[in-house]
Amino acid sequence: DHRVTGTAQVVVIGGGQAGLAAGYCLRRAGLDFVILDAQAQPGGAWSHGWDSLRLFSPARHSLLPGWPMPPYPGPGYPTAGHVVEYLAAYEKRYALPIRRAETVTAVSHDGTRFAVSTDTGKWSAEAVVSATGTWWRPFLPLMPGGFTGRRLHTVDYRGPEEFAGQDVVVVGGGNSGAQIAADLAGVANLTWVTRRPPRYLPDHIDGKALFDVATRRRQALETGQADTAGVAGLGDIVAVPSVREARDAGLLRRREMFARLDSDGPVWTDGTRRHADAVIWCTGFRPSLGHLAPLRLRTTRGRIPTEGTRAVAEPRLHLLGYGDWTGPASATIIGVGMTARAAVDDLEAGGGRRAIL
Ligand code: FAD
């Protein structure tokens, strides 16, 4: 399809929180841009999580640039639905130019401009900000054996009801694994399997504290001080109330990783086995970057080498969200604003080539 749908100085790919933060900064910079989002509705990945999913910090610590998240009216931390409402209101408030249900299939560069192909047409742009998240590329490790039960990933999990009374194995020692295990504990016959013993963050550490730790680490590295190890040095699991309660009630006992999955369920190296009706893999995500393949950028473990948010080999391409490799806490609501601002500043300043004027 060689139809040109439009031209823009900047095309932002993805209209989740990262794409919106980029839009806010581009608008402030007075640049001409469009945001293309594959989904028909706002909210990015937040409209897909499990029913009991909540933020791991209060609303006041979950803010995009310009306008903080309104307080959550209920008890506890905000629900995913509250975040979706916030993102929907945010894009309206700033009248961000979002084209929905338009999936970017390929991005190429002819030496002068980017061509951004979508399932409905083509865009021509001086610069591209890719903010497509990770939710769309669930990662499942290869596991020998011929398991015949249900095999799910975090993205497939809705709630504990359908697993009532079943033998369920949850794999993964990160936040999703711990939260889904806590959700199922007491409803299903749960086996929680992690590669190493679960490392809970101290109970008082929430998303805001994590952002502060990530920021301090960046400052330390920038000023030549010793690496503080950042968030990874603290632990893996934020002790949100549901996890804390299940853990303290002794319901989150963990087993080491099994060696294989037979037709009936997991088998450990010492020969012990368990029946499983379902195995839920909470084994994380990879950056969703397939649309950038035509640029032929070198990738390392699924990541594109960056300096800040800018792709080293393609200086008019910026990556936002995804993980700490695009900036400290770039894959969090509170952190993405800072990296979005840095990306837009870099585009304005020329970022290795001429400035966008
Ligand atoms: P997404 O929300 O995934 O948005 C990307 C958008 O791009 C989507 O709308 C998608 O449809 C679109 N897209 C993808 N591919 C294409 C394409 N080819 N063309 C066009 N559009 C495309 N962060 C916090 O700050 N606090 C928390 O409490 C927290 N909890 C989390 C819990 C879970 C289970 C997970 C997985 C993450 C959590 N995060 C949390 C991290 C992060 O805030 C979320 O992952 C967030 O959704 C990332 O936003 P994003 O905009 O980068 O990506």
Side-chain angles (χ1 to χ4, degrees), residues 186-202:
V187 179
N189 180 18
L190 170 74
T191 305
W192 184 32
V193 175
T194 66
R195 259 198 320 230
R196 57 179 181 186
R199 300 190 314 148
Y200 295 98
L201 290 151

PDB file of all heavy atoms in Angstrom, residues 186-202:
ATOM      1  N   GLY A 186      -5.693 -19.978  48.616  1.00  0.00           N
ATOM      2  CA  GLY A 186      -6.940 -20.113  49.350  1.00  0.00           C
ATOM      3  C   GLY A 186      -8.124 -20.419  48.454  1.00  0.00           C
ATOM      4  O   GLY A 186      -9.184 -20.826  48.944  1.00  0.00           O
ATOM      5  N   VAL A 187      -8.003 -20.226  47.145  1.00  0.00           N
ATOM      6  CA  VAL A 187      -9.094 -20.544  46.217  1.00  0.00           C
ATOM      7  C   VAL A 187      -8.737 -21.820  45.448  1.00  0.00           C
ATOM      8  O   VAL A 187      -9.540 -22.745  45.355  1.00  0.00           O
ATOM      9  CB  VAL A 187      -9.326 -19.392  45.207  1.00  0.00           C
ATOM     10  CG1 VAL A 187     -10.442 -19.737  44.241  1.00  0.00           C
ATOM     11  CG2 VAL A 187      -9.613 -18.087  45.934  1.00  0.00           C
ATOM     12  N   ALA A 188      -7.510 -21.827  44.926  1.00  0.00           N
ATOM     13  CA  ALA A 188      -7.027 -23.006  44.199  1.00  0.00           C
ATOM     14  C   ALA A 188      -6.044 -23.754  45.098  1.00  0.00           C
ATOM     15  O   ALA A 188      -5.638 -23.260  46.148  1.00  0.00           O
ATOM     16  CB  ALA A 188      -6.333 -22.572  42.920  1.00  0.00           C
ATOM     17  N   ASN A 189      -5.666 -24.942  44.665  1.00  0.00           N
ATOM     18  CA  ASN A 189      -4.610 -25.684  45.332  1.00  0.00           C
ATOM     19  C   ASN A 189      -3.306 -25.247  44.666  1.00  0.00           C
ATOM     20  O   ASN A 189      -2.916 -25.760  43.632  1.00  0.00           O
ATOM     21  CB  ASN A 189      -4.896 -27.185  45.164  1.00  0.00           C
ATOM     22  CG  ASN A 189      -3.841 -28.014  45.838  1.00  0.00           C
ATOM     23  OD1 ASN A 189      -3.105 -27.515  46.696  1.00  0.00           O
ATOM     24  ND2 ASN A 189      -3.746 -29.264  45.440  1.00  0.00           N
ATOM     25  N   LEU A 190      -2.650 -24.261  45.294  1.00  0.00           N
ATOM     26  CA  LEU A 190      -1.588 -23.506  44.641  1.00  0.00           C
ATOM     27  C   LEU A 190      -0.200 -24.099  44.861  1.00  0.00           C
ATOM     28  O   LEU A 190       0.160 -24.461  45.978  1.00  0.00           O
ATOM     29  CB  LEU A 190      -1.609 -22.068  45.186  1.00  0.00           C
ATOM     30  CG  LEU A 190      -0.432 -21.166  44.815  1.00  0.00           C
ATOM     31  CD1 LEU A 190      -0.525 -20.737  43.354  1.00  0.00           C
ATOM     32  CD2 LEU A 190      -0.382 -19.949  45.734  1.00  0.00           C
ATOM     33  N   THR A 191       0.585 -24.178  43.796  1.00  0.00           N
ATOM     34  CA  THR A 191       2.021 -24.405  43.908  1.00  0.00           C
ATOM     35  C   THR A 191       2.701 -23.207  43.273  1.00  0.00           C
ATOM     36  O   THR A 191       2.456 -22.904  42.097  1.00  0.00           O
ATOM     37  CB  THR A 191       2.453 -25.680  43.151  1.00  0.00           C
ATOM     38  OG1 THR A 191       1.671 -26.779  43.635  1.00  0.00           O
ATOM     39  CG2 THR A 191       3.924 -25.977  43.373  1.00  0.00           C
ATOM     40  N   TRP A 192       3.525 -22.524  44.045  1.00  0.00           N
ATOM     41  CA  TRP A 192       4.208 -21.336  43.517  1.00  0.00           C
ATOM     42  C   TRP A 192       5.675 -21.691  43.321  1.00  0.00           C
ATOM     43  O   TRP A 192       6.348 -22.115  44.264  1.00  0.00           O
ATOM     44  CB  TRP A 192       4.050 -20.166  44.491  1.00  0.00           C
ATOM     45  CG  TRP A 192       4.646 -18.873  43.990  1.00  0.00           C
ATOM     46  CD1 TRP A 192       4.737 -18.450  42.706  1.00  0.00           C
ATOM     47  CD2 TRP A 192       5.235 -17.845  44.792  1.00  0.00           C
ATOM     48  NE1 TRP A 192       5.327 -17.209  42.644  1.00  0.00           N
ATOM     49  CE2 TRP A 192       5.643 -16.815  43.911  1.00  0.00           C
ATOM     50  CE3 TRP A 192       5.442 -17.683  46.169  1.00  0.00           C
ATOM     51  CZ2 TRP A 192       6.264 -15.647  44.366  1.00  0.00           C
ATOM     52  CZ3 TRP A 192       6.053 -16.523  46.615  1.00  0.00           C
ATOM     53  CH2 TRP A 192       6.452 -15.509  45.714  1.00  0.00           C
ATOM     54  N   VAL A 193       6.131 -21.536  42.095  1.00  0.00           N
ATOM     55  CA  VAL A 193       7.476 -21.983  41.723  1.00  0.00           C
ATOM     56  C   VAL A 193       8.299 -20.778  41.297  1.00  0.00           C
ATOM     57  O   VAL A 193       7.867 -20.004  40.441  1.00  0.00           O
ATOM     58  CB  VAL A 193       7.367 -22.986  40.549  1.00  0.00           C
ATOM     59  CG1 VAL A 193       8.738 -23.373  40.044  1.00  0.00           C
ATOM     60  CG2 VAL A 193       6.597 -24.225  40.975  1.00  0.00           C
ATOM     61  N   THR A 194       9.479 -20.627  41.893  1.00  0.00           N
ATOM     62  CA  THR A 194      10.353 -19.515  41.489  1.00  0.00           C
ATOM     63  C   THR A 194      11.781 -20.022  41.365  1.00  0.00           C
ATOM     64  O   THR A 194      12.179 -20.966  42.047  1.00  0.00           O
ATOM     65  CB  THR A 194      10.313 -18.351  42.506  1.00  0.00           C
ATOM     66  OG1 THR A 194      10.887 -18.793  43.741  1.00  0.00           O
ATOM     67  CG2 THR A 194       8.902 -17.859  42.755  1.00  0.00           C
ATOM     68  N   ARG A 195      12.552 -19.382  40.498  1.00  0.00           N
ATOM     69  CA  ARG A 195      13.925 -19.824  40.269  1.00  0.00           C
ATOM     70  C   ARG A 195      14.792 -19.636  41.498  1.00  0.00           C
ATOM     71  O   ARG A 195      15.652 -20.434  41.802  1.00  0.00           O
ATOM     72  CB  ARG A 195      14.522 -19.070  39.085  1.00  0.00           C
ATOM     73  CG  ARG A 195      14.515 -19.889  37.817  1.00  0.00           C
ATOM     74  CD  ARG A 195      15.474 -19.315  36.813  1.00  0.00           C
ATOM     75  NE  ARG A 195      15.406 -17.866  36.839  1.00  0.00           N
ATOM     76  CZ  ARG A 195      15.259 -17.093  35.777  1.00  0.00           C
ATOM     77  NH1 ARG A 195      15.182 -17.641  34.601  1.00  0.00           N
ATOM     78  NH2 ARG A 195      15.208 -15.785  35.869  1.00  0.00           N
ATOM     79  N   ARG A 196      14.591 -18.501  42.175  1.00  0.00           N
ATOM     80  CA  ARG A 196      15.343 -18.292  43.417  1.00  0.00           C
ATOM     81  C   ARG A 196      14.359 -17.870  44.490  1.00  0.00           C
ATOM     82  O   ARG A 196      13.236 -17.470  44.183  1.00  0.00           O
ATOM     83  CB  ARG A 196      16.448 -17.255  43.214  1.00  0.00           C
ATOM     84  CG  ARG A 196      15.949 -15.922  42.712  1.00  0.00           C
ATOM     85  CD  ARG A 196      17.099 -14.939  42.565  1.00  0.00           C
ATOM     86  NE  ARG A 196      16.613 -13.656  42.110  1.00  0.00           N
ATOM     87  CZ  ARG A 196      17.394 -12.642  41.787  1.00  0.00           C
ATOM     88  NH1 ARG A 196      18.700 -12.745  41.880  1.00  0.00           N
ATOM     89  NH2 ARG A 196      16.879 -11.501  41.379  1.00  0.00           N
ATOM     90  N   PRO A 197      14.759 -17.948  45.753  1.00  0.00           N
ATOM     91  CA  PRO A 197      13.810 -17.597  46.813  1.00  0.00           C
ATOM     92  C   PRO A 197      13.257 -16.192  46.595  1.00  0.00           C
ATOM     93  O   PRO A 197      13.989 -15.308  46.156  1.00  0.00           O
ATOM     94  CB  PRO A 197      14.666 -17.652  48.082  1.00  0.00           C
ATOM     95  CG  PRO A 197      15.805 -18.552  47.743  1.00  0.00           C
ATOM     96  CD  PRO A 197      16.057 -18.378  46.271  1.00  0.00           C
ATOM     97  N   PRO A 198      11.965 -16.003  46.844  1.00  0.00           N
ATOM     98  CA  PRO A 198      11.374 -14.693  46.597  1.00  0.00           C
ATOM     99  C   PRO A 198      12.061 -13.612  47.421  1.00  0.00           C
ATOM    100  O   PRO A 198      12.375 -13.822  48.594  1.00  0.00           O
ATOM    101  CB  PRO A 198       9.913 -14.850  47.027  1.00  0.00           C
ATOM    102  CG  PRO A 198       9.797 -16.177  47.653  1.00  0.00           C
ATOM    103  CD  PRO A 198      11.012 -16.980  47.348  1.00  0.00           C
ATOM    104  N   ARG A 199      12.305 -12.482  46.781  1.00  0.00           N
ATOM    105  CA  ARG A 199      12.938 -11.371  47.483  1.00  0.00           C
ATOM    106  C   ARG A 199      11.914 -10.240  47.582  1.00  0.00           C
ATOM    107  O   ARG A 199      11.669  -9.531  46.601  1.00  0.00           O
ATOM    108  CB  ARG A 199      14.178 -10.903  46.724  1.00  0.00           C
ATOM    109  CG  ARG A 199      15.242 -12.009  46.560  1.00  0.00           C
ATOM    110  CD  ARG A 199      16.541 -11.446  46.030  1.00  0.00           C
ATOM    111  NE  ARG A 199      16.316 -10.545  44.907  1.00  0.00           N
ATOM    112  CZ  ARG A 199      17.090  -9.492  44.640  1.00  0.00           C
ATOM    113  NH1 ARG A 199      18.110  -9.199  45.401  1.00  0.00           N
ATOM    114  NH2 ARG A 199      16.834  -8.732  43.594  1.00  0.00           N
ATOM    115  N   TYR A 200      11.322 -10.123  48.753  1.00  0.00           N
ATOM    116  CA  TYR A 200      10.332  -9.071  48.952  1.00  0.00           C
ATOM    117  C   TYR A 200      11.039  -7.761  49.264  1.00  0.00           C
ATOM    118  O   TYR A 200      12.002  -7.736  50.035  1.00  0.00           O
ATOM    119  CB  TYR A 200       9.413  -9.411  50.126  1.00  0.00           C
ATOM    120  CG  TYR A 200       8.577 -10.637  49.881  1.00  0.00           C
ATOM    121  CD1 TYR A 200       8.958 -11.878  50.381  1.00  0.00           C
ATOM    122  CD2 TYR A 200       7.396 -10.551  49.146  1.00  0.00           C
ATOM    123  CE1 TYR A 200       8.191 -13.017  50.146  1.00  0.00           C
ATOM    124  CE2 TYR A 200       6.619 -11.679  48.910  1.00  0.00           C
ATOM    125  CZ  TYR A 200       7.034 -12.903  49.418  1.00  0.00           C
ATOM    126  OH  TYR A 200       6.271 -14.017  49.169  1.00  0.00           O
ATOM    127  N   LEU A 201      10.543  -6.697  48.675  1.00  0.00           N
ATOM    128  CA  LEU A 201      11.025  -5.377  49.055  1.00  0.00           C
ATOM    129  C   LEU A 201      10.492  -5.080  50.452  1.00  0.00           C
ATOM    130  O   LEU A 201       9.446  -5.599  50.848  1.00  0.00           O
ATOM    131  CB  LEU A 201      10.511  -4.334  48.060  1.00  0.00           C
ATOM    132  CG  LEU A 201      11.147  -4.432  46.671  1.00  0.00           C
ATOM    133  CD1 LEU A 201      10.211  -3.935  45.593  1.00  0.00           C
ATOM    134  CD2 LEU A 201      12.442  -3.650  46.654  1.00  0.00           C
ATOM    135  N   PRO A 202      11.207  -4.247  51.214  1.00  0.00           N
ATOM    136  CA  PRO A 202      10.680  -3.880  52.519  1.00  0.00           C
ATOM    137  C   PRO A 202       9.246  -3.353  52.382  1.00  0.00           C
ATOM    138  O   PRO A 202       8.917  -2.706  51.378  1.00  0.00           O
ATOM    139  CB  PRO A 202      11.630  -2.771  52.977  1.00  0.00           C
ATOM    140  CG  PRO A 202      12.881  -2.967  52.188  1.00  0.00           C
ATOM    141  CD  PRO A 202      12.478  -3.594  50.888  1.00  0.00           C
TER     142      PRO A 202
END
